[in-house]
Amino acid sequence: MADLAEADEADLQRLVAAEQQKAQFTAQVHHFMELCWDKCVEKPGNRLDSRTENCLSSCVDRFIDTTFAITSRFAQIVQKGGQ
């Protein structure tokens, strides 16, 4: 019975760690969205001019690259933890 409780505790710790990682990732997404908006959009309107559109595109590209790097790092951490 104690083994089951220890297994449940380990599962709970893994679940909490995964949820914390999700929360950190979500916070990072919001942070990048704010950065891109603040950097690229000077005055909101009905349409984006080409400069704003290019800026947002570049910012999003950097965001995607960063997201990929973060996700890869999390996968490495999880893989090392599972060994």
Side-chain angles (χ1 to χ4, degrees), residues 8-58:
D8 288 342
E9 180 70 24
D11 286 342
L12 181 60
Q13 287 178 352
R14 280 192 290 276
L15 179 63
V16 168
E19 289 301 316
Q20 287 174 335
Q21 288 177 349
K22 287 180 192 176
Q24 289 173 345
F25 179 76
T26 300
Q28 195 69 25
V29 167
H30 289 291
H31 177 70
F32 280 115
M33 286 174 27
E34 287 178 16
L35 286 176
C36 289
W37 180 267
D38 292 343
K39 178 180 176 166
C40 297
V41 180
E42 292 177 10
K43 46 186 169 176
N46 294 336
R47 300 181 63 136
L48 298 175
D49 61 18
S50 62
R51 185 189 84 56
T52 302
E53 195 171 318
N54 288 333
C55 180
L56 286 170
S57 179
S58 294

Side-chain angles (χ1 to χ4, degrees), residues 21 67-83:
Q21 288 177 349
T67 301
F68 179 73
I70 291 169
T71 304
S72 295
R73 182 65 182 136
F74 280 153
Q76 290 173 353
I77 292 169
V78 168
Q79 187 177 20
K80 285 181 184 178
Q83 293 180 349

